[in-house]
Amino acid sequence: MTPELTFKLASNFAIIGWLLLAGLPNARVTKLLIRNGVWPLILSGLYLLILALYARGGFDFGSLEGVTKLFANPWVLLAGWVHYLAFDLFVGIWETKEAEVLGISRWILIPCLFFTLMFGPIGYLLFQIVRWRKGGSHASI
């Protein structure tokens, strides 16, 4: 399997999770596979597998140059992408659960989910603003 094919499969896998989360949040399949964390767990396993099989040498996270060299390996770059997919989906799951607890409308939540999918921290920030305006006092992740 090539890094490109693995990228496409992982990305499509994540998109299925996001679509279920946004479109059918209370469906049995969504609760079983997405909301209980199975989807990000599978992506996390893929992340571990890619690093175990293809990451060689030391990791230099101490400088931008070191990270640039690290990501010159397409498999390590792919692992970084899968890292984003897993964590962003995890945050989206939390946002969905928190929105239900606080009574935040799905119509307000969906743009937050979109921005979390596309721009990670910006979506999280947007959701926190919505949450704060709603008077949410539950613990943040």
Side-chain angles (χ1 to χ4, degrees):
M1 190 172 302
T2 67
E4 184 64 31
L5 178 58
T6 307
F7 171 86
K8 289 177 183 177
L9 291 172
S11 296
N12 289 335
F13 180 82
I15 288 296
I16 290 168
W18 280 102
L19 290 173
L20 287 169
L21 188 63
L24 300 169
N26 294 311
R28 185 175 179 171
V29 67
T30 306
K31 288 180 177 181
L32 180 66
L33 297 176
I34 311 303
R35 292 183 57 148
N36 71 3
V38 170
W39 231 241
L41 188 62
I42 292 169
L43 289 166
S44 297
L46 176 61
Y47 173 78
L48 175 63
L49 183 64
I50 292 168
L51 287 180
L53 293 175
Y54 300 106
R56 300 289 181 250
F59 295 125
D60 178 7
F61 294 113
S63 69
L64 182 58
E65 181 182 352
V67 173
T68 301
K69 288 179 183 176
L70 178 65
F71 285 139
N73 175 337
W75 283 105
V76 176
L77 179 61
L78 174 62
W81 177 247
V82 172
H83 179 282
Y84 282 121
L85 293 176
F87 273 51
D88 288 353
L89 184 56
F90 176 82
V91 172
I93 292 166
W94 174 82
E95 290 172 356
T96 300
K97 290 178 179 180
E98 188 73 358
E100 287 178 0
V101 169
L102 296 173
I104 296 170
S105 163
R106 301 267 331 136
W107 296 109
I108 294 172
L109 174 63
I110 288 174
C112 296
L113 292 176
F114 173 78
F115 279 98
T116 301
L117 166 64
M118 298 304 294
F119 304 107
I122 295 172
Y124 176 70
L125 176 63
L126 178 61
F127 181 77
Q128 288 292 7
I129 292 167
V130 168
R131 188 174 167 269
W132 173 73
R133 297 232 19 203
K134 184 70 174 179
S137 62
H138 291 80
S140 299
I141 56 171

